[in-house]
Amino acid sequence: PESRADFPKQLLTLTGKRSMIQTTVDRIRDVIPADRILVVTGNGLVENMVHQLPSVPRDSIIGEPCRRDTAPCIGLAALLCAEKDPQATMVVMPADHVIKQTEDFCAAIQYAAQLVENVPGRIATFGIPPAYPAETFGYIERDDRLAEDADNADGFSAFRVKQFREKPKADVAEQYLQAGTFYWNSGIFVWKATTILEELHRREPKMLAHLEAIASQRGSANFDEVFATEFAAIEGVSIDYAVMEGTDRGAVVPLDCGWSDVGAWSTLWDVSAHDADGNVLHGDVIVEDSRDSYL
């Protein structure tokens, strides 16, 4: 593995000339200004994040004192966003994705934001049309098309979420692929900050109480102590399990934008540029009589 505990995948330059966290910020810079970007990461990664993201304000890079999965991470971010702007619309993006068609992605974000603006309680997510029967991704099954939705100029559409499905076995994944109504779960969301806080209040009240205690001490002298104590008391859970699998507010926007959740060298091989001999080259490499190699 190339990634390390103190220098994980998000900080690595795996495609192009920028790290994954840098390209995540880069792809939305025309939609969201740097002073409205919030990064939540592990305590031990904060300084590297600060170094790699000079355009993001230092106090907008938050270091969790311990790992507690995605729901507490997102809940804390929602509290901080709502504190700054009670009407804030959030875009939640993992920092370890490859997205090739940036313009299409940004257009989809704006489309989803409008869906949320039209119905403020809505929770929008993006479904990736499956290219093969993957066993390593969760799936989203779509239901009826949203009644108020109409294709926009960019051709987007939205459907009610029928069900979130866990990572399937091979035969079930094949059924999903053939059905044509299932998408890979991208893990990217658009919602009002207050909406996700309402969902957490309804489904994870103890978690939210701990997060509110943390947010209330933001900027105080004992913030770090409160953060460490309250966050450690949270039972870690994913946002999919905590909210998405149970909510009736979900809408899925199909999105074909060259998305990849880079989780293996084989996936990185697929999304990288190849030379005339089929090689993928990074760094100071001299190639002689080599074909179809990752160097």
Side-chain angles (χ1 to χ4, degrees):
E2 182 72 11
S3 58
R4 297 288 182 267
D6 60 350
F7 212 82
K9 179 171 59 169
Q10 293 88 335
L11 293 167
L12 297 178
T13 301
L14 299 177
T15 60
K17 298 181 179 180
R18 303 270 283 169
S19 72
M20 300 199 81
I21 182 65
Q22 288 173 323
T23 55
T24 301
V25 171
D26 290 348
R27 74 173 58 104
I28 57 166
R29 63 187 171 191
D30 292 335
V31 179
I32 302 171
D35 63 356
R36 295 183 71 88
I37 291 174
L38 187 66
V39 178
V40 185
T41 186
N43 248 346
L45 303 180
V46 168
E47 291 310 314
N48 275 325
M49 291 287 182
V50 170
H51 176 71
Q52 290 203 7
L53 301 172
S55 66
V56 177
R58 173 65 177 79
D59 62 357
S60 293
I61 299 178
I62 311 298
E64 296 175 335
C66 55
R67 293 184 180 185
R68 287 297 182 267
D69 218 320
T70 54
C73 165
I74 291 170
L76 180 59
L79 283 168
L80 298 178
C81 287
E83 182 181 276
K84 181 177 286 188
D85 177 4
Q87 302 303 315
T89 296
M90 291 179 65
V91 180
V92 178
M93 300 187 303
D96 59 354
H97 291 175
V98 168
I99 294 176
K100 291 184 176 181
Q101 283 90 53
T102 298
E103 288 187 9
D104 290 346
F105 176 75
C106 289
I109 291 291
Q110 292 172 308
Y111 173 77
Q114 189 58 54
L115 291 177
V116 169
E117 203 64 39
N118 294 342
V119 181
R122 177 170 286 147
I123 291 176
T125 188
F126 298 93
I128 309 300
Y132 59 92
E135 302 172 63
T136 54
F137 299 140
Y139 285 74
I140 303 170
E141 183 180 7
R142 79 180 190 208
D143 205 336
D144 298 331
R145 187 165 176 166
L146 295 184
E148 74 277 20
D149 176 49
D151 282 331
N152 67 3
D154 294 312
F156 296 112
S157 57
F159 301 83
R160 288 194 305 111
V161 172
K162 185 172 185 179
Q163 193 172 358
F164 280 78
R165 304 293 184 102
E166 298 295 332
K167 298 174 183 178
K169 294 183 179 179
D171 58 334
V172 176
E174 182 61 41
Q175 293 172 19
Y176 291 172
L177 184 66
Q178 296 303 320
T181 55
F182 288 83
Y183 304 97
W184 290 338
N185 181 2
S186 69
I188 302 170
F189 305 100
V190 178
W191 50 44
K192 292 287 186 182
T194 51
T195 299
I196 198 64
L197 293 174
E198 289 169 3
E199 290 285 343
L200 289 174
H201 178 73
R202 183 179 300 115
R203 302 172 190 281
E204 296 285 344
K206 291 182 180 179
M207 175 194 299
L208 184 59
H210 289 299
L211 295 175
E212 288 173 334
I214 294 167
S216 70
Q217 296 300 309
R218 180 95 156 126
S220 70
N222 63 336
F223 174 70
D224 290 343
E225 181 182 350
V226 172
F227 197 174
T229 301
E230 296 288 341
F231 206 74
I234 293 172
E235 183 176 344
V237 61
S238 72
I239 195 67
D240 284 351
Y241 187 79
V243 173
M244 298 307 297
E245 292 182 8
T247 187
D248 58 359
R249 302 180 179 189
V252 58
V253 177
L255 178 59
D256 188 0
C257 62
W259 175 92
S260 178
D261 178 6
V262 181
W265 287 108
S266 58
T267 310
L268 190 56
W269 167 266
D270 290 338
V271 301
S272 297
H274 296 240
D275 70 10
D277 293 317
N279 298 309
V280 176
L281 309 177
H282 284 288
D284 187 12
V285 178
I286 297 174
V287 181
E288 184 174 349
D289 297 332
S290 294
R291 293 181 178 275
D292 304 322
S293 299
Y294 192 105
L295 304 168

